[in-house]
Amino acid sequence: MDNVLSFIEGNRSRYLEELTSFIAIPSISTNPENKQDVDRCSQWVSRHLGGIGMEHIEIFPTAGHPIVYADWLHAPGKPTLLIYGHYDVQPVDPIDLWTTPPFEATIRGDNLYARGSADDKGQVFIHFKSIEAYLRNGGSLPINIKMLIEGEEEIGSEHLSEFVKQHKELLKADLVLISDTAMFAKGVPSVCYGLRGLSYMQVNLTGPNKDLHSGSFGGSVHNPIQALSEIIARLHDDKGRIAIPGFYSDVLRLTAKERAAYKKLPWSDKKYAKELGVQGLYGEKGFTTLERLWARPTLECNGIWGGFTGQGAKTVLPSRASAKISMRLVPNQKAQKIAELFEQHVRKLAPKSVSVDVQYLHGGEAAITPIGSPGVRTAVAALEKGFGKKPLYQREGGSIPIVIQFKQLLGLDTVLLGFGLPDENAHAPDEFINLDNFFGGIRTSAHFYNELPSYLKRGKKK
Ligand code: BES
Ligand code: MN
Ligand code: MN
């Protein structure tokens, strides 16, 4: 282990150079014009996996973006770890708000700024380097490792579940490990044991069959923007609860133990509000902020459009209005069922004066990994060694849609060992990864591989 750790220490500047070239590829999965970049990025990943000593490297094309697989299976009798991550990134707009260009990794202070630095190229790269520190340092890995790095996570992992279904044997493992979440705070390492799910909807309303002069026609027909606003306004009640009938019926309640544990975490609503630049917080009554973020479902309007939005003024009564609305889900809500309840309710709320079209864009279910499970205990031990501090337990409000499917299709628990930070600007301008977390992450993942066999063995004996 010592030589692995000293190899990591000795190669810091090379790591940053390599990460910079990974980041330079604008692998924005949602943009059709970046299709070639996404492909190029899958090739970069595959080449890099070869360079660090992984084997059986294969790029699997899909109807969308490619999936990269690789393994190293020379630890007979030892556990097999499946590491999942994504090489695709979110769009960069609004580009003007970036301090330095999004695909030029730039170090300022203790952080490396770039799109994908934290979500998720930087965190995938952490594992590349800890694996390399074993395999290219005259040694071998203490466990078997399979890697699955996809290019469609940021658009809902549409083709990955089919791939998993068709490659159950290839993906056979004892545990899944993902580094694609954040630590609780800077200097406060944590293990994440839950993610929320998601149902993503689009609502299109049509009023009159064409745009109208708002003077000649205003007062005679229902403006679809107004009708849409009225619908959206009625999706929450005055207690901040979601007003869709049946929405909460499958929600797994927080246990008293969890609520007590969250209350003990170092958290201040005041500080949080200040950081976000809001005068006060908003959310479902009867729950704390952390409870609302991690363990309660929500409904958000992500975007709304219609009519005239250009410079200046144009008097128009538009024909159409639309909104993108997503709901974050918790165990045991089902994404498909929630989408149906949403559609029924929106149809019921919609006045006769407009016609309604509701689309279900994508969805996935929430996931929980038991705190006492061997994988989580391995993560605790590894973080303690990698960061010199006992980690906290937390959940996350975000979603990684494949996690629940690893459980359902492969029977595998997932450990979420994240090295991001809550204020890392994921999906926003000036995304960054903290360099202490980056190097601490490489050490921690190296410890994780080393510790895993003993924890899994103990887990089996019980
Ligand atoms: N890395 C995030 C998931 C995440 C977000 C974890 C916040 C912890 C905190 C992931 O890349 C992501 O952005 N997921 C999407 C999923 C969606 C597109 C299906 C999300 O949560 O919005
Ligand atoms: Mn991610
Ligand atoms: Mn993301």
Side-chain angles (χ1 to χ4, degrees):
M1 198 63 211
D2 284 349
N3 62 327
V4 168
L5 295 173
S6 57
F7 182 89
I8 293 169
E9 282 314 300
N11 282 279
R12 283 173 165 245
S13 54
R14 176 173 61 84
Y15 293 166
L16 295 176
E17 281 164 30
E18 291 172 357
L19 178 59
T20 297
S21 76
F22 188 13
I23 277 172
I25 307 169
S27 49
I28 305 170
S29 48
T30 197
N31 285 349
E33 63 269 28
N34 289 108
K35 174 69 192 154
Q36 284 200 346
D37 298 315
V38 178
D39 283 347
R40 200 152 55 84
C41 200
S42 70
Q43 288 154 15
W44 191 99
V45 169
S46 120
R47 232 180 308 119
H48 201 82
L49 285 166
I52 63 173
M54 293 295 283
E55 301 172 346
H56 305 118
I57 301 157
E58 202 165 336
I59 300 182
F60 290 90
T62 72
H65 299 308
I67 295 165
V68 187
Y69 172 88
D71 62 32
W72 188 93
L73 305 173
H74 302 290
K78 297 290 187 214
T80 300
L81 181 66
L82 175 61
I83 300 176
Y84 162 86
H86 62 95
Y87 66 82
D88 65 322
V89 298
Q90 287 276 335
V92 294
D93 49 270
I95 184 104
D96 302 350
L97 297 185
W98 286 81
T99 308
T100 48
F103 297 106
E104 284 174 26
T106 308
I107 294 174
R108 283 196 295 284
D110 299 334
N111 300 329
L112 182 144
Y113 290 83
R115 173 58 85 233
S117 54
D119 185 11
D120 180 33
K121 285 176 173 171
Q123 299 207 56
V124 165
F125 190 76
I126 281 172
H127 288 282
F128 292 171
K129 295 302 101 175
S130 51
I131 290 171
E132 181 190 62
Y134 282 100
L135 295 182
R136 291 288 186 234
N137 188 19
S140 57
L141 281 161
I143 53 171
N144 302 295
I145 289 186
K146 298 180 174 181
M147 290 200 107
L148 185 66
I149 315 294
E150 71 149 323
E152 295 191 299
E153 196 277 343
E154 297 292 8
I155 49 175
S157 298
E158 198 189 330
H159 299 98
L160 186 60
S161 57
E162 194 50 41
F163 178 86
V164 173
K165 271 179 214 152
Q166 285 176 6
H167 295 87
K168 286 190 180 164
E169 194 53 41
L170 181 71
L171 300 176
K172 219 170 148 192
D174 295 291
L175 183 74
V176 179
L177 179 63
I178 302 179
S179 294
D180 190 23
T181 51
M183 307 198 324
F184 187 77
K186 197 167 170 189
V188 188
S190 58
V191 183
C192 177
Y193 68 96
L195 292 165
R196 288 197 288 191
L198 189 71
S199 289
Y200 203 119
M201 315 297 296
Q202 181 165 327
V203 180
N204 305 305
L205 293 195
T206 308
N209 58 11
K210 56 188 172 188
D211 280 8
L212 303 172
H213 189 294
S214 68
S216 312
F217 294 89
S220 66
V221 291
H222 202 166
N223 183 322
I225 298 179
Q226 184 188 337
L228 182 59
S229 309
E230 286 159 355
I231 293 170
I232 292 172
R234 288 166 71 186
L235 293 175
H236 288 94
D237 69 13
D238 59 5
K239 294 196 171 61
R241 278 171 66 89
I242 294 148
I244 299 172
F247 183 87
Y248 289 95
S249 55
D250 299 324
V251 167
L252 182 73
R253 308 264 147 209
L254 273 151
T255 63
K257 210 171 145 192
E258 263 180 315
R259 298 192 86 165
Y262 295 176
K263 290 223 165 74
K264 284 200 199 120
L265 295 174
W267 178 266
S268 154
D269 269 356
K270 233 186 178 161
K271 189 165 156 255
Y272 181 73
K274 198 170 166 217
E275 274 164 15
L276 298 183
V278 293
Q279 292 295 319
L281 301 179
Y282 169 87
E284 188 184 4
K285 292 222 163 63
F287 296 91
T288 66
T289 305
L290 287 180
E291 289 170 351
R292 300 199 305 263
L293 286 172
W294 296 346
R296 296 297 297 172
T298 55
L299 181 150
E300 301 291 339
C301 188
N302 298 270
I304 180 164
W305 67 99
F308 179 68
T309 56
Q311 288 265 321
K314 174 189 176 190
T315 47
V316 63
L317 197 167
S319 162
R320 291 155 171 276
S322 299
K324 294 199 187 269
I325 298 174
S326 64
M327 292 161 282
R328 292 286 166 174
L329 312 178
V330 300
N332 297 311
Q333 290 178 298
K334 295 271 173 287
Q336 177 80 39
K337 180 179 167 193
I338 291 294
E340 282 160 22
L341 291 176
F342 176 91
E343 171 160 8
Q344 279 167 25
H345 192 57
V346 166
R347 288 193 178 285
K348 216 178 100 204
L349 290 178
K352 291 222 164 45
S353 46
V354 293
S355 64
V356 193
D357 163 52
V358 180
Q359 298 165 350
Y360 177 34
L361 300 185
H362 62 72
E365 263 100 62
I368 292 262
T369 304
I371 283 183
S373 64
V376 169
R377 287 167 46 219
T378 309
V380 170
L383 280 165
E384 212 171 334
K385 293 198 165 155
F387 284 86
K389 245 184 208 172
K390 236 186 160 57
L392 304 176
Y393 292 104
Q394 69 162 99
R395 282 157 82 169
E396 280 274 16
S399 311
I400 304 175
I402 201 65
V403 171
I404 189 74
Q405 307 207 16
F406 283 140
K407 183 77 190 177
Q408 288 166 352
L409 300 171
L410 303 175
L412 298 180
D413 276 337
T414 293
V415 174
L416 299 158
L417 185 60
F419 303 110
L421 286 175
D423 63 351
E424 70 195 5
N425 299 322
H427 298 197
D430 284 351
E431 176 181 349
F432 69 85
I433 189 160
N434 176 263
L435 290 174
D436 291 338
N437 284 15
F438 175 70
F439 293 112
I442 300 175
R443 288 193 300 274
T444 301
S445 52
H447 283 297
F448 188 97
Y449 312 151
N450 198 40
E451 297 285 326
L452 184 64
S454 65
Y455 284 91
L456 273 188
K457 224 182 283 156
R458 273 179 249 164
K460 271 190 193 135
K461 262 186 216 153
K462 271 202 293 179

